[in-house]
Amino acid sequence: MVTKKIVFSGVQPTGNLHLGNYLGALKNFVLLQKKMECIYCVVDLHAITIFQKPDILHENVLETTASFLATGLNPDKSIIFNQSSVSGHAELAWILNCVSRIGWLNRMTQFKDKAGSDKEKASVGLYIYPNLMAADILLYKATHVPVGADQKQHLELSRDIAQKFNKDFNCNNFFPLPEPLILKNISRIMSLRDGTKKMSKSEESDYSRINLKDTADEINKKIKKAKSDSDSIPGEIKLLENKPEALNLLSIYSELTKNSLEKIITEMAGKEYSFLKAKLTEALIDEITPVGKEIKKLLKDKSHLKKILKKGTEKANILAEENIKNIREKIGLI
Ligand code: AMP
Ligand code: TRP
């Protein structure tokens, strides 16, 4: 059986998008859009698994949409919409809650990280978040899912859920098993303050990340302050094993300049990190500030952004409704 290739991915509207989102996910979304049918979703229902102030959530949905467009996603090529406006996501999530197993969810490390020390106080939504993510993907029978490395475990769960559904309802290959598309070298961009933690929207210090909306001046200050190493740049990657901050800066530079890490390290061997930082700042300003400016420009016309979401919702709904009809039939729902 030939399965049509369909790409699906989601980004939570929970604040400023940063360099990790951009290099780990968004840039890949844009490349895939040239080759396959793509569906990109602002996952607002995932965002509310942790309390969001309503007016801020509303703004963040529009800002994430603007970020999609500013990085190069084209609403005439890809379907761009917000999750809550297609009711099939919530409906399929309920069905998959009944397929997924408690034991499977108990292994999810993101829940453990996000729930913190008092798990009893976490929302039920946060616990079953991965089932909703599986629903997002399976609702469109997506075959490929571009994400950062932090989502690998959730993708594996989506595959387990798809497999169990196919087996329980005796419908081999009904749901394709979705493949993660995780970029090798930059699947996890680390915090500029602590190279053992991923760069994230939720880390308190803004100096830990480069936001897509940062100005040239902010980028300059953040890279100047970023942790690196007191030794000079070594000539071999393996000498960076215990220097995560230095490795992170070199990897980001290698990605932005499209040169291999080996090449960068050979060229910079023996130089101080201040040399790398100056070059990196320049590369970041070249690549990120035009995106930030475009986001700010797009945010001036909110009705245009809402129109794009509405158009995407209409297209997504057609696909979702057809699949939901078939899924209900498989289960025996009338
Ligand atoms: P989120 O903002 O958590 O919804 O993430 C959106 C996308 O960005 C997902 O595919 C994540 O895996 C990816 N992502 C988030 N943080 C990073 C990071 N520090 N490095 C690489 N990819 C990331
Ligand atoms: N959980 C993902 C994240 O935090 C966002 C997400 C929700 C997603 N649904 C998805 C990613 C479906 C890929 C496919 O980054």
Side-chain angles (χ1 to χ4, degrees), residues 8-12 43 46 129 133 136-137 145 147 151 154:
F8 183 97
S9 196
V11 175
Q12 298 190 67
V43 288
H46 276 105
Y129 172 119
M133 179 160 161
D136 296 340
I137 298 165
V145 184
V147 280
Q151 297 303 312
H154 288 160

Side-chain angles (χ1 to χ4, degrees), residues 122-140:
S123 76
V124 176
L126 188 66
Y127 183 64
I128 56 174
Y129 172 119
N131 295 342
L132 175 60
M133 179 160 161
D136 296 340
I137 298 165
L138 301 180
L139 184 58
Y140 303 95

Side-chain angles (χ1 to χ4, degrees), residues 121-334:
K121 289 232 169 91
S123 76
V124 176
L126 188 66
Y127 183 64
I128 56 174
Y129 172 119
N131 295 342
L132 175 60
M133 179 160 161
D136 296 340
I137 298 165
L138 301 180
L139 184 58
Y140 303 95
K141 297 195 170 174
T143 53
H144 294 83
V145 184
V147 280
D150 59 330
Q151 297 303 312
K152 187 163 179 266
Q153 194 185 34
H154 288 160
L155 251 293
E156 279 156 10
L157 181 87
S158 300
R159 290 168 67 90
D160 289 344
I161 292 175
Q163 215 157 12
K164 183 161 162 46
F165 184 101
N166 291 347
K167 187 163 155 281
D168 287 355
F169 298 104
N170 205 10
C171 49
N172 211 0
N173 294 327
F174 178 74
F175 284 130
L177 305 188
E179 297 269 354
L181 296 177
I182 301 177
L183 297 170
K184 225 171 70 217
N185 298 327
I186 35 125
S187 62
R188 197 185 290 274
I189 302 290
M190 308 313 275
S191 154
L192 301 178
R193 310 295 289 157
D194 175 353
T196 62
K197 281 199 205 151
K198 69 167 186 169
M199 186 178 283
S200 109
K201 295 169 188 162
S202 55
E203 192 173 328
E204 213 173 303
S205 166
D206 201 46
Y207 275 92
S208 68
R209 63 188 159 256
I210 301 289
N211 302 308
L212 295 185
K213 283 199 307 185
D214 281 349
T215 59
D217 195 38
E218 282 166 326
I219 293 176
N220 188 17
K221 279 195 199 129
K222 287 180 180 179
I223 296 299
K224 263 208 184 106
K225 271 204 159 197
K227 269 200 184 168
S228 55
D229 194 43
S230 49
D231 290 341
S232 54
I233 300 175
E236 282 178 77
I237 297 181
K238 73 171 190 303
L239 297 174
L240 288 164
E241 249 165 38
N242 298 319
K243 302 176 188 296
E245 289 88 7
L247 178 62
N248 189 39
L249 295 179
L250 285 158
S251 306
I252 296 171
Y253 185 64
S254 132
E255 183 58 26
L256 291 173
T257 56
K258 306 248 172 311
N259 285 306
S260 69
L261 191 55
E262 285 82 358
K263 183 159 181 254
I264 299 289
I265 288 182
T266 315
E267 279 173 12
M268 293 198 178
K271 296 221 159 62
E272 298 303 318
Y273 279 92
S274 54
F275 177 81
L276 165 68
K277 283 185 170 187
K279 295 246 176 218
L280 177 59
T281 301
E282 207 179 297
L284 280 168
I285 291 174
D286 277 356
E287 179 130 5
I288 298 299
T289 53
V291 176
K293 280 186 192 145
E294 186 62 20
I295 295 174
K296 289 176 198 163
K297 192 175 123 205
L298 286 161
L299 279 171
K300 287 196 181 130
D301 189 354
K302 302 218 163 114
S303 70
H304 172 66
L305 294 171
K306 285 183 184 162
K307 256 188 229 145
I308 286 177
L309 288 176
K310 187 157 175 274
K311 213 169 110 197
T313 296
E314 282 161 12
K315 290 193 219 163
N317 235 329
I318 294 172
L319 302 173
E321 276 179 8
E322 175 66 22
N323 283 337
I324 283 281
K325 191 171 116 247
N326 295 333
I327 292 163
R328 292 176 61 103
E329 226 165 71
K330 290 282 174 239
I331 298 173
L333 299 170
I334 292 173

